[in-house]
Amino acid sequence: MTTLATPQVATRVPQPRTVPLATLLAHEWRLLVRDRLLHVAASCFIVVVVLALAAGVRWSRAQQATVDRLRRADADQLVAWQRALDTIPADAPPPEAFARDPRSAFHVGARVGRVAGLDQPPLGVLAVGQSDLQPSYYKVTTGPRQAMLMNDEIENPVALLTGRLDLTFVIVALLPLLIGALSYGMLAGEREDGTLALVASQPVTLRRVLLAKVAVRAAIVLAVAIGLVAIGLVVAGAPLAAPGVATVAATWLLTVLVYAAFWFAIALLVAVLVRGAAAGALTLATVWLLSVIVVPVLVNVVAQARHPAPSRTALIAESRAAAAAANARADTLLRKFLFDHPEMRAGASVASGKDFVTRSLTVQFEVDTAMAPSLAAFDARLRAQQALVDRARLASPSLLAQGVLESLAGTDGDRWRRFRDSTIAYHRRWRDAIMAQAVRGEPLTAAMLGALPTFAFGEAPADAVLPRVGGALAVLVVLAVLAWSGALVAIGRVRAA
Amino acid sequence: MLATIVRKEFTEMLRDGRVRLAAVALLALLAGALLHGRAQTRALVAERAAAQAATRADWLAQPAKNPHSAAHYGIYAFKPRATLATLDDGVDPYVGVLTWLEAHKRNEFAYRPAQDATGAQRAGALTAAVTLQLLVPLLIVLLAAGAFATEREHGTLRQLLALGVRARTLGAGKAFGVAAALGVVLVPATVLGVAAIVGLGGDTAHDLPRAGMMVVGYLLYFAAWLGVVLAISARARTARVALAGALGLWMLTTVLAPRLVTELARALRPTPSAAAFTAAIRSDLEQGFDGHAGQAEAMEAFRRRVLAQYRVDSVSQLPVSFAGLELEEGERIGNLVYDRHHARLWDRFAAQERVRTASAVVAPVLAMRALSMGLSGTDVAHHRAFAEAAEGYRRTLVTAMNADMTRNARGTDFDYKADRSLWGTVGAFDYDGPSLGATLTEHAGALAILGAWAVGGVLLLTGAVARLRP
Amino acid sequence: MLEAAALSKSFGDHVALHPLTLRVAPGEILCLLGANGAGKTTTINLFLDFIPRSGGRALVDGLDVAAEPLETKRRLAYIPEQVQLYRTLTGVENLDYFQRLSGRPPLDRAALLALCDRVGLPAGAADRRVSTYSKGMRQKVGIAIAIAKEARALLLDEPTSGLDPQASNEFSALLAVLRDDGVAILMATHDLFRARETGTHIAIMKHGRMVDRFAAADIGHADLERLYLDHMRN
């Protein structure tokens, strides 16, 4: 036996201190490629991404087509009316109040009205979001505001209940599953198969091996989740060249990246901390369940308990009472209206208070005015609920990511609420213009028709959404960084045996 | 022998900390869901009943006025909250809560509660049904995925088979063992559920048989999951493979499939946009349809017909108010058009539902969901029944007004004022939902598929156990 | 080459390995005998730094394994009771991967195939997936990995248990070749016969202590068995 009194220095040719990362990556890649699970999981995911993109495009185009059709019909109607008015001699007798005649303010303003339509947001294909619950057009007439806002788009309620297969759902709910499926056995699987011992007996740290494993998986997942979606956006013809849109699309993909990074950190933590592949899979499934289903559901319950949505039923009763009161005071109201609007007193004979059209318009005007505070209070309570939920989103990275992704896609409801507010303002302008005509009692002319207010939605610049999602995205980044820090600390403690 | 195996499985599961934790969490969620559902039912039942009474009072309190004016004033129909919606509120948040019943027009239901909720609600509601449909299968996966695979991995399966335990007995023992463990959660949950429903004091003779059928449906659903997961476990090489397989199946069939199938149903059986729907109705009303004349022409023909019938030359010679007759004729024609379009739309929804139910062949949760909503009275069919009842009431009410006008407004027409006593001659709106039989017929397909899944699960298990290898 | 100096390991209150001192020089094979739970595998795991030691030191080529886990592993090769390889890869691919992991320059395919041949892998097996391999074939790949790495110390944990006599014999012959090349080998085994045939030294362990130690040449097979059983009985 030789004695080793002093440590001997290795006598061989100096060797590279560490295994090239490329070796580890190539090996991981080869293992994954030969794994049936990868083929099944990745191809399922790719198919679902393509389907979701197709569904998003279909939805977005159908919505846009409906709005376009309605606008075209409005324009055609206007042209037809103006043509008809050109042929009516100026000395023709004025139309009856309810006649289907373009000269009748009632017909034009109360019966036919105009459409206020919302264009699809440029990146609407990325998320259906709330757009299946929130109508993208309203028929604006002189009728009460509440009646106008009651009109919903037709949709099978079961489809609303189920939710849509859009890219946001795929990213928020399914991407973590893909990450989990690829990663749950990355350490425990090798330990259980026995290969880990042999790897650990080599001069390479398990940290390095594990990080290589994550890197290869991340490359696959992100190639699909980000690469495929980016290609899909181009193929689907999203207007990326429009100002700001490309930035928003890039932020969307960045959010996907951050969200995926978060889940990879969780997968890594579970791989390191949970012994046994089966137990790891269960743990990941549990974290997923909490983040994607349980916490959002509980957030919902808390929001409903803390800020219950005010009762529409009560609101209806209130507006009925307001209508009854306004009806009872109709004559007084009309006189007051004329007093407030001296410029309309010209047609005094018509405005005697007996004319049904002016009378009913006045009543509706009064109902809208009387209901305004209640409606404002109603909206305020909804906003309080929304604010609570926005805070509670922090409890679930999935809710957080969903919020950011839908906001960036423009279908989270914020843009729609601005559209609804514009519609309400337009409704007011339309009602006032028609009312003025009706009170004056003069038949409408082609010029007057052309001068009626038109709806225009003050679309915010595409990238105006960025500051709004900044906070949530930052929180998501912090969560991902925290999870990664935890994972990197834990990874140092991993042992082969 | 069987009892020994069942007891061992049961004891083993109860000693597993993860199982205990999962069971407690699930039971807590179920209890929370029931409490939440009960509170909502209480509030909504009271609110809707009060609103229905108030709108009736408004109707009765009308001053003397023209009957047609009263018909325009109209009345609201508020969708009642079914007691069993405590367990499964189904599509209730996604359909309007009220509709305005007035002359000439069949209005849509307005105010979907989901519109007044935040986007977070779309992630799902906390109901007993969601918990039972999504989470109990997951508990079954947790309990059963390792049943054979772990024993195979640890080598105890080899020993058991070497002892001469019949594979079939072993399979049955494991199935009953898991079932017993599930019972620890489900039996108290059922008791709580029944207590919640009875405590709400609804019509128990209506609710309890439905709840009973629901129990049957869920038992079939759970049996299917138990059979399939145990079969996977019996075939899998390791516990890890069994678990991954069972979890994958759960995710594909309960998370992905419902959305995928909904997109499929939308693509196969598209519904019109609301704008197209109203435009089609307007066009049919104005221009006529299927050989029916347009409004102007039809009313002119009607005038001639009435004159001929009464053998007079002009409407002023009629012994009745022509305005009343004309209004009623307008309603009749309008109703034809509304019926045609609404029936088409409802049938479209039903066709989408058939796509979904048929897809339950690959994703049993779809059948379970349909059956659960149907029995709870919160499916589309129930909404349709209510919508049609409300529409029927609208017609009764408007017809009564028109009839009064026809009888009494001769010569005065729209200047005629009916006495306040007229309002009370129309009874209050009273609605009874579809019977249990009708609901079961509606969802016979879903029930059959659930049954097939349960039988299939047992067969799969029997087949896998028959070829059980250590 | 391999040296334990008062190396010990406890799991909580349980002492798995009492302070152990041993040395294995190049060209020596030290066989550790002992019942299950005697501390043999613990000793090997400590040399591999798979588990943190409780006291003493384990040195490979004079380097402390806890202080320089990677540098010591460069000089080591390990063959467990079951050499488990990536089932979806072929024998050559596995060998190639572990060769690269060892930090040595990669070998070309001809060299890898020659290695497979040298350890006696049947012709054609090298390009088959490992999932089709018998245990003996996988152990041979394990040896091939050790050879390719030019390991100067070999740690074997019951490498021949469960092998048929022929495979066991071939495996021992390979060990003898490595020994003659100057590799220091530490082998935990239950096979008294092989221990005496291949080992240069034999140590008997019991309850975490080394209770006896001698040169293999000094003892006959029957004597070894009697000695071993005596130790186990006391």
Side-chain angles (χ1 to χ4, degrees):
Chain A
M1 253 199 276
T2 351
T3 50
L4 293 166
T6 52
Q8 291 179 345
V9 177
T11 49
R12 301 230 184 79
V13 203
Q15 295 168 1
R17 284 208 61 86
T18 48
V19 185
L21 198 57
T23 301
L24 298 173
L25 294 177
H27 172 68
E28 256 337 288
W29 170 251
R30 187 142 61 174
L31 283 184
L32 273 176
V33 165
R34 298 213 182 149
D35 192 347
R36 252 203 344 236
L37 177 71
L38 172 80
H39 292 276
V40 174
S43 37
C44 276
F45 191 76
I46 291 173
V47 168
V48 169
V49 166
V50 172
L51 285 178
L53 194 63
V57 170
R58 231 176 94 89
W59 170 252
S60 193
R61 289 202 179 141
Q63 294 282 94
Q64 186 66 51
T66 304
V67 170
D68 287 344
R69 217 168 14 243
L70 292 172
R71 285 191 189 134
R72 216 164 32 241
D74 263 10
D76 292 349
Q77 175 76 84
L78 185 62
V79 170
W81 277 343
Q82 285 176 328
R83 242 181 238 144
L85 285 177
D86 287 343
T87 63
I88 296 178
D91 55 351
E96 286 178 42
F98 293 109
R100 292 171 184 278
D101 189 311
R103 290 174 299 160
S104 151
F106 176 84
H107 180 61
V108 170
R111 189 184 280 138
V112 178
R114 289 269 171 89
V115 164
L118 177 65
D119 286 314
Q120 282 301 295
L123 297 174
V125 295
L126 293 174
V128 171
Q130 298 295 300
S131 68
D132 55 349
L133 261 179
Q134 298 165 336
S136 59
Y137 54 87
Y138 287 110
K139 187 80 172 172
V140 179
T141 63
T142 56
R145 180 212 293 185
Q146 263 180 288
M148 170 182 81
L149 296 179
M150 258 188 207
N151 288 316
D152 288 326
E153 185 51 287
I154 288 177
E155 180 62 283
N156 189 335
V158 182
L160 295 173
L161 165 70
T162 312
R164 301 295 290 275
L165 184 71
D166 58 0
L167 274 173
T168 296
F169 167 75
V170 171
I171 296 298
V172 169
L174 303 186
L175 184 68
L177 294 180
L178 176 68
I179 293 174
L182 293 183
S183 314
Y184 79 95
M186 63 184 173
L187 183 64
E190 287 220 22
R191 185 181 285 132
E192 281 162 18
D193 289 347
T195 46
L196 188 65
L198 224 49
V199 171
S201 73
Q202 304 296 340
V204 59
T205 57
L206 284 183
R207 173 199 201 80
R208 208 169 154 78
V209 172
L210 263 177
L211 288 179
K213 283 176 182 293
V214 170
V216 170
R217 283 162 174 81
I220 295 173
V221 167
L222 295 180
V224 179
I226 292 185
L228 200 58
V229 171
I231 294 170
L233 271 181
V234 174
V235 172
L240 295 173
V245 174
T247 321
V248 176
T251 315
W252 200 90
L253 295 176
L254 175 74
T255 310
V256 175
L257 180 78
V258 175
Y259 186 62
F262 171 79
W263 282 102
F264 269 115
I266 296 293
L268 195 52
L269 267 173
V270 169
V272 173
L273 298 181
V274 181
R275 255 190 122 75
L282 268 182
T283 313
L284 276 176
T286 308
V287 177
W288 178 87
L289 192 68
L290 287 176
S291 179
V292 176
I293 296 183
V294 177
V295 172
V297 162
L298 292 180
V299 163
N300 235 330
V301 172
V302 171
Q304 281 177 14
R306 292 280 302 279
H307 292 283
S311 159
R312 286 286 183 188
T313 323
L315 200 64
I316 281 292
E318 204 178 325
S319 72
R320 256 208 142 180
N327 260 314
R329 301 194 304 130
D331 291 340
T332 326
L333 286 170
L334 193 55
R335 271 198 298 280
K336 180 172 178 295
F337 181 84
L338 288 174
F339 184 80
D340 292 344
H341 297 85
E343 76 283 3
M344 292 182 189
R345 281 183 216 152
S349 64
V350 187
S352 61
K354 286 187 184 151
D355 179 65
F356 181 81
V357 174
T358 35
R359 207 184 139 101
S360 65
L361 284 178
T362 321
V363 167
Q364 280 166 16
F365 183 89
E366 172 64 11
V367 172
D368 278 354
T369 315
M371 288 302 292
S374 299
L375 290 174
F378 192 93
D379 285 348
R381 290 183 65 180
L382 290 187
R383 273 199 303 278
Q385 192 188 35
Q386 183 67 51
L388 175 75
V389 167
D390 285 344
R391 281 197 306 279
R393 277 182 190 278
L394 299 180
S396 152
S398 303
L399 264 186
L400 206 57
Q402 188 198 8
V404 174
L405 294 176
E406 286 181 358
S407 297
L408 290 170
T411 51
D412 65 331
D414 184 74
R415 183 167 169 275
W416 175 80
R417 275 186 284 277
R418 275 185 287 118
F419 162 68
R420 193 196 50 183
D421 292 345
S422 311
T423 307
I424 289 172
Y426 175 61
H427 170 250
R428 206 175 301 130
R429 280 188 290 137
W430 179 259
R431 188 196 57 195
D432 291 351
I434 294 294
M435 179 113 171
Q437 292 298 338
V439 171
R440 249 181 236 122
E442 294 166 20
L444 292 173
T445 64
M448 283 171 172
L449 275 183
L452 283 175
T454 50
F455 176 75
F457 175 48
E459 185 90 65
D463 48 10
V465 67
L466 293 178
R468 205 158 57 77
V469 299
L473 186 53
V475 173
L476 209 52
V477 170
V478 168
L479 283 179
V481 168
L482 283 180
W484 266 101
S485 317
L488 289 177
V489 169
I491 210 177
R493 302 211 322 249
V494 67
R495 293 254 165 204
Chain B
M1 172 72 86
L2 182 62
T4 316
I5 297 174
V6 172
R7 201 173 313 120
K8 173 254 168 194
E9 292 294 325
F10 184 69
T11 317
E12 213 179 26
M13 273 179 267
L14 288 197
R15 286 196 187 152
D16 186 338
R18 291 176 317 183
V19 171
R20 282 207 300 260
L21 185 67
V24 168
L26 192 61
L27 198 54
L29 270 179
L30 272 171
L34 284 171
L35 280 177
H36 180 63
R38 203 176 65 139
Q40 280 205 316
T41 302
R42 278 240 165 90
L44 288 176
V45 164
E47 179 190 295
R48 306 263 162 93
Q52 198 65 60
T55 188
R56 173 74 182 165
D58 282 348
W59 168 259
L60 292 176
Q62 289 179 99
K65 61 162 96 154
N66 183 273
H68 186 59
S69 177
H72 267 292
Y73 181 71
I75 197 162
Y76 283 92
F78 296 91
K79 192 167 190 282
R81 164 93 168 178
T83 315
L84 288 179
T86 306
L87 305 179
D88 186 351
D89 61 4
V91 299
D92 273 6
Y94 298 96
V95 294
V97 295
L98 57 87
T99 182
W100 183 25
L101 312 176
E102 59 165 337
H104 307 308
K105 250 184 104 187
R106 175 173 187 168
N107 289 309
E108 296 304 317
F109 273 71
Y111 299 130
R112 301 171 179 169
Q115 288 170 321
D116 289 338
T118 62
Q121 183 170 52
R122 304 301 289 280
L126 180 65
T127 61
V130 167
T131 320
L132 292 173
Q133 287 162 22
L134 294 188
L135 302 187
V136 171
L138 210 51
L139 181 64
I140 293 177
V141 170
L142 173 67
L143 293 174
F148 292 100
T150 309
E151 291 222 31
R152 177 176 290 125
E153 223 175 329
H154 291 172
T156 44
L157 189 59
R158 182 175 286 273
Q159 281 179 31
L160 281 176
L161 293 178
L163 282 174
V165 177
R166 280 178 53 205
R168 192 175 279 254
T169 315
L170 192 60
K174 297 221 172 248
F176 288 123
V178 175
L182 277 178
V184 171
V185 174
L186 295 179
V187 170
T190 312
V191 172
L192 277 181
V194 171
I197 289 170
V198 173
L200 279 165
D203 177 4
T204 44
H206 172 267
D207 295 335
L208 289 185
R210 284 173 168 254
M213 270 317 291
M214 224 187 272
V215 170
V216 172
Y218 278 106
L219 285 181
L220 290 176
Y221 179 62
F222 299 151
W225 269 105
L226 185 53
V228 171
V229 175
L230 279 176
I232 291 176
S233 184
R235 306 282 293 162
R237 196 165 45 85
T238 59
R240 145 163 78 116
V241 171
L243 189 68
L247 278 178
L249 187 71
W250 180 81
M251 278 151 185
L252 285 179
T253 60
T254 61
V255 178
L256 179 60
R259 292 195 187 228
L260 196 59
V261 168
T262 297
E263 293 295 344
L264 182 74
R266 284 174 51 84
L268 291 178
R269 305 275 181 267
T271 48
S273 72
F277 185 72
T278 15
I281 289 179
R282 198 181 325 118
S283 152
D284 276 7
L285 281 175
E286 287 170 8
Q287 266 105 51
F289 65 96
D290 274 3
H292 293 73
Q295 209 164 35
E297 202 183 320
M299 294 319 283
E300 179 52 30
F302 176 68
R303 198 180 62 90
R304 282 200 302 275
R305 218 163 49 237
V306 171
L307 293 183
Q309 190 193 335
Y310 284 94
R311 296 168 197 282
V312 291
D313 297 329
S314 75
V315 293
S316 56
Q317 295 167 338
L318 285 171
V320 293
S321 157
F322 183 67
L325 287 177
E326 208 176 20
L327 283 172
E328 187 56 18
E329 176 66 4
E331 284 293 330
R332 195 186 63 81
I333 296 173
N335 289 346
L336 286 177
V337 173
Y338 285 120
D339 282 348
R340 180 176 134 93
H341 287 275
H342 279 88
R344 206 181 274 166
L345 183 61
W346 287 118
D347 290 346
R348 216 10 101 85
F349 285 169
Q352 292 188 339
E353 208 48 48
R354 279 196 296 279
V355 174
R356 249 187 292 273
T357 303
S359 310
V361 170
V362 291
V365 72
L366 290 167
M368 189 62 244
R369 194 175 67 162
L371 185 66
S372 172
M373 289 197 292
L375 289 169
S376 300
T378 54
D379 62 346
V380 177
H382 275 79
H383 184 64
R384 177 181 188 170
F386 180 73
E388 283 177 353
E391 173 64 9
Y393 182 70
R394 181 185 80 84
R395 293 178 186 180
T396 313
L397 183 132
V398 173
T399 301
M401 294 303 108
N402 291 342
D404 181 75
M405 194 150 152
T406 309
R407 260 195 318 276
N408 303 320
R410 181 173 175 269
T412 47
D413 286 350
F414 289 98
D415 291 330
Y416 156 71
K417 286 197 175 176
D419 187 70
R420 292 184 59 166
S421 64
L422 175 62
W423 320 141
T425 60
V426 183
F429 177 41
D430 186 32
Y431 167 69
D432 273 329
S435 67
L436 176 56
T439 301
L440 287 180
T441 313
E442 172 84 26
H443 293 291
L447 198 56
I449 290 177
L450 271 184
W453 262 101
V455 172
V458 172
L459 287 181
L460 266 180
L461 176 57
T462 329
V465 163
R467 280 169 298 160
L468 192 64
R469 298 281 170 274
Chain C
M1 181 52 61
L2 292 170
E3 182 179 6
L7 183 63
S8 67
K9 176 67 188 173
S10 312
F11 295 101
D13 290 341
H14 171 68
V15 183
L17 187 64
H18 291 278
L20 169 78
T21 301
L22 62 77
R23 280 177 187 165
V24 187
E28 285 185 354
I29 298 182
L30 173 61
C31 293
L32 293 177
L33 297 177
N36 294 322
K40 306 187 300 289
T41 299
T42 303
T43 307
I44 288 176
N45 279 344
L46 286 170
F47 269 108
L48 285 162
D49 192 41
F50 280 4
I51 50 177
R53 68 192 173 202
S54 306
R57 296 204 301 166
L59 305 175
V60 175
D61 211 0
L63 301 174
D64 189 325
V65 298
E68 305 219 35
L70 296 191
E71 200 51 49
T72 52
K73 280 174 188 166
R74 239 183 266 292
R75 294 158 165 79
L76 278 180
Y78 167 58
I79 297 178
E81 180 179 354
Q82 299 269 359
V83 172
Q84 296 292 9
L85 303 164
Y86 295 101
R87 299 166 57 85
T88 54
L89 303 188
T90 65
V92 168
E93 284 169 344
N94 268 289
L95 182 55
D96 179 45
Y97 175 59
F98 283 107
Q99 163 64 12
R100 286 166 190 268
L101 273 194
S102 72
R104 300 185 55 79
L107 298 174
D108 61 14
R109 188 177 149 76
L112 293 170
L113 282 175
L115 257 175
C116 290
D117 189 50
R118 190 178 153 198
V119 296
L121 213 54
D127 283 324
R128 283 211 314 270
R129 289 200 179 188
V130 163
S131 51
T132 63
Y133 280 26
S134 68
K135 181 178 175 190
M137 289 160 79
R138 279 182 289 148
Q139 300 301 96
K140 283 173 182 168
V141 176
I143 290 275
I145 291 170
I147 295 174
K149 190 177 184 181
E150 297 183 28
R152 299 179 60 199
L154 203 50
L155 297 163
L156 301 126
D157 196 356
E158 299 180 21
T160 56
S161 72
L163 287 188
D164 63 67
Q166 191 201 343
S168 184
N169 180 280
E170 286 169 7
F171 189 84
S172 299
L174 284 170
L175 285 190
V177 173
L178 288 172
R179 176 195 63 201
D180 296 343
D181 284 351
V183 176
I185 299 174
L186 177 65
M187 172 161 75
T189 182
H190 289 303
D191 189 339
L192 302 184
F193 175 72
R194 290 278 159 223
R196 214 191 61 82
E197 288 291 296
T198 10
T200 58
H201 296 77
I202 293 174
I204 298 178
M205 297 191 69
K206 188 180 178 185
H207 301 322
R209 292 178 209 274
M210 189 159 71
V211 290
D212 203 349
R213 176 194 167 116
F214 40 83
D218 295 349
I219 196 162
H221 183 258
D223 294 337
L224 174 59
E225 184 164 8
R226 197 169 50 245
L227 187 65
Y228 178 81
L229 292 176
D230 283 347
H231 275 301
M232 293 304 114
R233 281 192 197 106
N234 299 330

